[in-house]
Every structure is written in structure tokens, then in C-alpha cells.
Amino acid sequence: MMFGITVNSWLQLGLYMCALTALAVPLGAFMARVLSGERHFLSPVLGPIERLMFALCGVRPDEESNWKGYALGVISFSLAGFLLLFVLLMTQAWGPLNPQGMANLTPDLAFNTAVSFVTNTNWQSYAGETTMSYFSQMVGLTVQNFVSAAVGIAVLAALIRGLSRQRDNMATDKVGNFWADMIRVNLNILLPLALIVTVALASQGVIQTFDAYATAKTLEGTDQVIALGPVASQEAIKMLGTNGGGFFNTNSAHPFENPTPLSNFIEMLSILIIPAALCFTFGRMVGDRKQGVAIFAAMTLVFVPFTVAAIGFEQSGNPHLVATGADTAANMEGKETRFGITNSAIWAAATTAASNGSVNAMHDSFTPLGGMVPMLLMKFGEVIYGGAGSGLYGMLVFVVLTVFIAGLMVGRTPEYLGKKIGAYEIKMASIAVLLPCAFVLIATAVALLTPWGQAGIYNPGAQGFSEVLYAVTSACNNNGSAFAGLSANTPFYNTLLGVCMLFGRFFVLLPVLAIAGSLAAKKTVPVSAGTLPTHTPLFIGILIGVIVLVGVLTYAPALALGPVVEHILMIKG
């Protein structure tokens, strides 16, 4: 073992990061061409379809809007998606493709689920195999897996245009055409990637069927119902779109969703591939690839140590078991035996670094500090890779703050990519960074201080506090993973977490679009001796420092009451 971690764990993590980087670079270049409306290698096949969709939808891609028009498109599209999904879930008992006769959802659960999938959170207060019909899974949830991810990428594209566009003497604040971006992202990026991953997963045994649930006779002579369904197609976009909502209640610990070590590796890569690749997309679209590399480096320099910490904490295990002679490297509580500690810890870090939320192990069963790692990664604002599009635009908000802070500290002009950073951009960036933090703390307090919130806490003390804090953090940061141990399918928690998801999505997204519009209207100033370089190791270090300080200092008291106290109690025995 090295630094408390086995050599095998180092090799697995190294292989994962090498594969992620190798795939992210070419995918980033491809997505840059798609988002810029340029011709690419799929254009001969998809180009005619794209033009047909533009014509059928009445979209003219050259007709761009300012940030308010773009935001109106985002909000109206999301509202329509919410209403359609809400109605579908409330009436699924009377819909098609329901061989098991699943009942309609209650209003509070339908509200929570519709909000969850529209905001790309994919929090699940239900067990999919006992709640959702095939029609709800495919037409309701899987469709939102595509379009909610595309919304995040579209908003990122608008911000990149605001940063990169050169303004001449003619006033302009245009940031793009939302509807054209949505069509391009879904058709050229998400659908082809989902098709590839679906086939790959199906080859490993992930099921894809419309048959009714099977019944098997057990050795004791009783009948066991085995849930089936169109899983592979949902699993692919669940990962690629940083969605995370599983077909089955046990998510990717279920052998029908994740049957082999290879399927596990494919799914872990799929979680981060688009968020990582978008860093290189950004570099190409702004005309300075070093900027994209710098952001990717900052993300990686946070992700790897936290992943190593998670592996180390889990392989260290409980010290009282060590005293009895137990092998803590085999600390398998809450882990799937097919994947072990290393793959469980890497997945936990990846799914919470991205706003994915899928799991292949039970985070509630991690050691206290091992469970604090995914909690902290969410508390950084889902910017360490983050969600599809949302992670990078959240990171760029931190870049704007860092440029301003660092510029003031050294007496240099606060500029980023030739655009001056002024009071308006800082106000919007502060809203995007601080409001989700406030929502987490306020909602946690509401849950802990009210009888309705306390009624759902099954584990007393520090563990119960951690479960509530984790759930609210997951909702406010649009992650969707759960610590479990919390009875969340109640009117109180369905409503509270649904409101948190809405605030966490749109109180970040809208300020980002406001920044995009403000920067698009500004002239680009030439680089001078007073310009702060934003691609150097020094700037990367300052950026990481700002992210970590905001996350740790904001939540230090809450973390002390939860996982830190629980760790002390574990040591004390």
C-alpha cells in the first residue's frame, strides 16, 4: 500500500483519468464545431435532419436574441417540460406501455419528480421498478434526460459567446438562438453518444425489453417477480447527460443496470466525459486553447485528491475493527462486491463532482469522512467538472470572481479574455455562488426544526443530521444522489426538495445569462502589461483556492455537526 491506498487502486484511478482525458480532447473539439454551427464529420448524415427540424419548428438559427430573450426561451421550455411531465405522471395508470399496471403518482411526488428531471437533478423519492410505467420512464423521464442536459450546454454556449465575441462600433448584446442550440446539441451530440453507449452497455448485458416483469420460482417454492424494462437506452443518457436517475431503486448497483466491471468503467467514463470535454470546447470557441486546459487542470487538481481521500478513508475503515485483526482493505459495507472499494469510491467522487447523482454503492454506509468527500464536492457548487454545461458555466462564474479578486490584490486590471469585469458581473457572479449556499443552510434548518422534517429522520444524532444535510445539498446543487436513511417520499420533503431544485437551477442559470449578455455588449480590449494571465499555474492555484475557501468556510459549521462529529464518535467507539 502507498499512502494508505493499494497499488491496484492507484492504477485504476490512473487508468480512469488517462482514458477520460484521451476521450475528452477530441470530443471537445467536435462539440466546439457543433456549438459554432460549423460543418463536422456527421454533417452529411445529420445536416439534412437538422435543417428539416429547423424548418418544422420555425427556427432561424441566424436570428439571435439578447440574454433576456435567451432566458425567456429557457424558462418557457423548462416550464412546458415540467407541465407535460407532471400531467403524464399524474395520469400514467391510463397511459400505454404499462404492463404492470402502475398507479398514478401522488401530486407531491409528481411535482418533485417533474421538477427533478426538468432541472437535471434527477432526485428520486421513489423506487422506479414499483412506481413508473415503461411509458413514464421513456417518454417522460428519458426525454427530460436529453433536453435538460441540452439546456445546460446551451446556456454554456451563450456564456462562451458573450466572452468571445468581438464588439465593433455597432452595439450588440446577442448571445445566440436558444432553440437552434437545443436542436443542435440533442441531434449532433447527445443522441449519437447515447446510441454508442447504449450498444456498448447492451453488449455487457444491460437489459432492453418491453416485456412484462418475469416471474421465477425460488428454491423454497415461492414466486419471485423480476423487474424488467427498457434499461440500456435510459442508462446511457442517464450517465452522459449527468442525470443519474436510475431505472431501478438500487441504481447502478443493480446487475440489470450495471452487470460487469467493463460496464461499470463505461458508465463512470460517461459521467464525466461531456463535462470534461466542454473545457476543451471552451478553449477552442474562445480562440485560446490554453484557457480550456487551465480550467480542466483546475478541475482535475481538485477531483483527484478528493477521490484519493475517499479511497483512503474507505480502505482504512473502522479502527476498532482493525484492533480485532480485520482487514480494513476489505471494508465492503455498502459496496457492490463486483466493484469493490476503489470503483465505489471513484464513482462516488465522479457522480458528486458532476451533477450526476447515480450510485453503485451506498454513500450512507461509507465511513464518516469517506461520506464527507461526495458531500464536499457538491458543496463546491458542482463545478469540479459538474453537470453537462452547468458545471463549466458555474466554474466560469468562479473564474470571474477570481479574476476580480486577484486583479485587486496585485493592482492589475480585472479582465477575462479581453472583457473588463465590472460591478455588474461581480454582483451576478455573487448571486450565482452565494444563493445556492444560503438555500442549503436555510432548507436544512427548516427540515431539522419542523416536526414534518424531523418525522422523516430515522437515524438520530450526527448521522441523521448528515442525511438531511446531504439531501438538501444534493437538491440545491442539482445532483440527485442521496445519503439514504431519510424518509424523503413525504409531502414535506417532496415539496421542500422540489423548491430547492428550482432555486438551485435557475438562480444560477439566470445570473450566468445576465453575465453573458453584459460581456457580449462590451468591447474587447487588447492584452497589456496590466492584464492578469489566466492560464498560468499561479492563476489555477488561486482559482482552486477561491473554490475551496467558499465551499469549506460556508459549510464548516454544518460539516462539523455531521460527518466530523460522527468520525470522532466512531474513533471513540
Side-chain angles (χ1 to χ4, degrees):
M1 298 181 67
M2 297 187 301
F3 307 108
I5 301 176
T6 64
V7 174
N8 177 268
S9 296
W10 285 107
L11 292 174
Q12 289 190 64
L13 179 58
L15 174 62
Y16 177 70
M17 294 308 301
C18 288
L20 178 66
T21 305
L23 292 172
V25 174
L27 178 59
F30 169 73
M31 290 195 292
R33 300 186 71 86
V34 172
L35 295 177
S36 300
E38 300 174 7
R39 187 173 177 82
H40 50 81
F41 75 98
L42 292 178
S43 293
V45 177
L46 299 180
I49 301 176
E50 180 182 291
R51 290 189 292 273
L52 177 62
M53 293 183 70
F54 285 156
L56 292 176
C57 297
V59 174
R60 297 181 179 178
D62 294 333
E63 291 184 355
E64 300 188 353
S65 59
N66 59 22
W67 80 266
K68 294 179 181 178
Y70 205 97
L72 181 61
V74 171
I75 293 172
S76 59
F77 182 80
S78 299
L79 178 61
F82 164 77
L83 293 174
L84 289 171
L85 182 54
F86 179 79
V87 171
L88 188 155
L89 296 175
M90 290 283 290
T91 59
Q92 74 167 4
W94 308 307
L97 293 176
N98 187 11
Q100 298 305 121
M102 299 297 183
N104 298 330
L105 272 63
T106 60
D108 59 286
L109 181 56
F111 166 78
N112 179 278
T113 305
V115 167
S116 180
F117 279 78
V118 167
T119 59
N120 199 238
T121 308
N122 306 91
W123 169 274
Q124 294 175 288
S125 293
Y126 59 88
E129 63 266 47
T130 60
T131 307
M132 295 292 174
S133 69
Y134 292 168
F135 190 77
S136 294
Q137 294 274 19
M138 292 191 307
V139 177
L141 306 186
T142 304
V143 167
Q144 284 301 321
N145 283 349
F146 277 95
V147 297
S148 65
V151 167
I153 298 174
V155 171
L156 171 64
L159 178 59
I160 294 175
R161 294 184 190 113
L163 284 164
S164 61
R165 287 190 167 169
Q166 308 289 321
R167 182 180 175 229
D168 52 23
N169 293 327
M170 297 296 293
T172 177
D173 58 355
K174 307 300 183 184
V175 296
N177 185 314
F178 170 72
W179 308 104
D181 288 338
M182 281 292 295
I183 291 172
R184 283 173 174 154
V185 170
N186 276 297
L187 180 63
N188 296 280
I189 298 174
L190 296 179
L191 280 170
L193 285 175
L195 179 60
I196 294 170
V197 174
T198 298
V199 173
L201 293 179
S203 73
Q204 293 301 299
V206 179
I207 64 172
Q208 181 75 14
T209 179
F210 293 111
D211 291 343
Y213 291 1
T215 302
K217 187 73 71 174
T218 68
L219 294 176
E220 290 80 11
T222 59
D223 290 336
Q224 177 183 356
V225 177
I226 301 174
L228 304 174
V231 179
S233 56
Q234 181 169 321
E235 192 72 11
I237 191 58
K238 154 191 164 182
M239 298 304 177
L240 290 166
T242 60
N243 296 287
F247 193 97
F248 299 103
N249 190 36
T250 54
N251 209 274
S252 287
H254 197 292
F256 286 174
E257 284 196 36
N258 189 12
T260 69
L262 180 57
S263 71
N264 189 73
F265 190 75
I266 292 171
E267 291 180 19
M268 286 198 303
L269 279 178
S270 299
I271 291 173
L272 292 184
I273 185 60
I274 289 180
L278 283 169
C279 297
F280 302 99
T281 300
F282 170 72
R284 284 178 173 267
M285 290 183 69
V286 299
D288 187 351
R289 297 183 187 182
K290 291 180 181 179
Q291 301 294 337
V293 172
I295 291 178
F296 179 77
M299 293 177 174
T300 303
L301 288 172
V302 176
F303 175 75
V304 171
F306 272 80
T307 305
V308 169
I311 297 171
F313 289 137
E314 291 309 299
Q315 289 186 342
S316 297
N318 189 319
H320 296 285
L321 294 178
V322 177
T324 66
D327 180 8
T328 57
N331 173 29
M332 292 299 294
E333 183 186 355
K335 283 84 174 177
E336 233 296 338
T337 55
R338 292 169 297 156
F339 310 131
I341 292 175
T342 300
N343 281 286
S344 298
I346 294 174
W347 190 301
T351 196
T352 49
S355 65
N356 186 272
S358 64
V359 295
N360 73 346
M362 184 52 65
H363 296 179
D364 196 35
S365 295
F366 280 25
T367 61
L369 296 186
M372 188 173 71
V373 169
M375 198 182 300
L376 263 175
L377 286 169
M378 289 189 294
K379 290 182 185 300
F380 290 153
E382 299 283 22
V383 299
I384 309 305
Y385 302 118
S390 60
L392 184 51
Y393 68 61
M395 174 61 88
L396 290 174
V397 168
F398 273 104
V399 170
V400 168
L401 289 174
T402 303
V403 166
F404 187 77
I405 294 169
L408 292 179
M409 289 173 63
V410 300
R412 292 193 172 189
T413 306
E415 301 170 7
Y416 187 55
L417 299 175
K419 299 294 180 79
K420 288 187 178 293
I421 305 300
Y424 182 79
E425 289 80 21
I426 295 303
K427 289 176 183 177
M428 292 298 105
S430 298
I431 290 172
V433 169
L434 297 178
L435 275 186
C437 299
F439 294 151
V440 170
L441 297 175
I442 293 171
T444 301
V446 170
L448 293 171
L449 294 175
T450 59
W452 310 287
Q454 295 170 3
I457 302 174
Y458 291 157
N459 296 309
Q463 178 70 10
F465 178 88
S466 294
E467 289 165 357
V468 174
L469 179 64
Y470 192 106
V472 174
T473 302
S474 178
C476 287
N477 289 283
N478 299 133
N479 183 270
S481 66
F483 230 36
L486 182 71
S487 180
N489 189 13
T490 64
F492 173 81
Y493 276 109
N494 281 335
T495 304
L496 176 70
L497 296 179
V499 172
C500 287
M501 293 176 216
L502 287 171
F503 283 0
R505 178 71 160 183
F506 293 103
F507 276 84
V508 176
L509 183 152
L510 294 177
V512 165
L513 286 175
I515 293 172
S518 176
L519 293 175
K522 291 187 175 185
K523 292 182 178 180
T524 301
V525 296
V527 176
S528 67
T531 302
L532 178 70
T534 54
H535 60 271
T536 62
L538 176 61
F539 183 81
I540 293 171
I542 298 173
L543 174 60
I544 293 172
V546 170
I547 294 169
V548 173
L549 282 174
V550 169
V552 172
L553 294 180
T554 302
Y555 296 109
L559 293 171
L561 291 172
V564 174
V565 167
E566 190 176 0
H567 177 73
I568 294 172
L569 293 174
M570 181 185 75
I571 294 175
K572 184 179 178 181

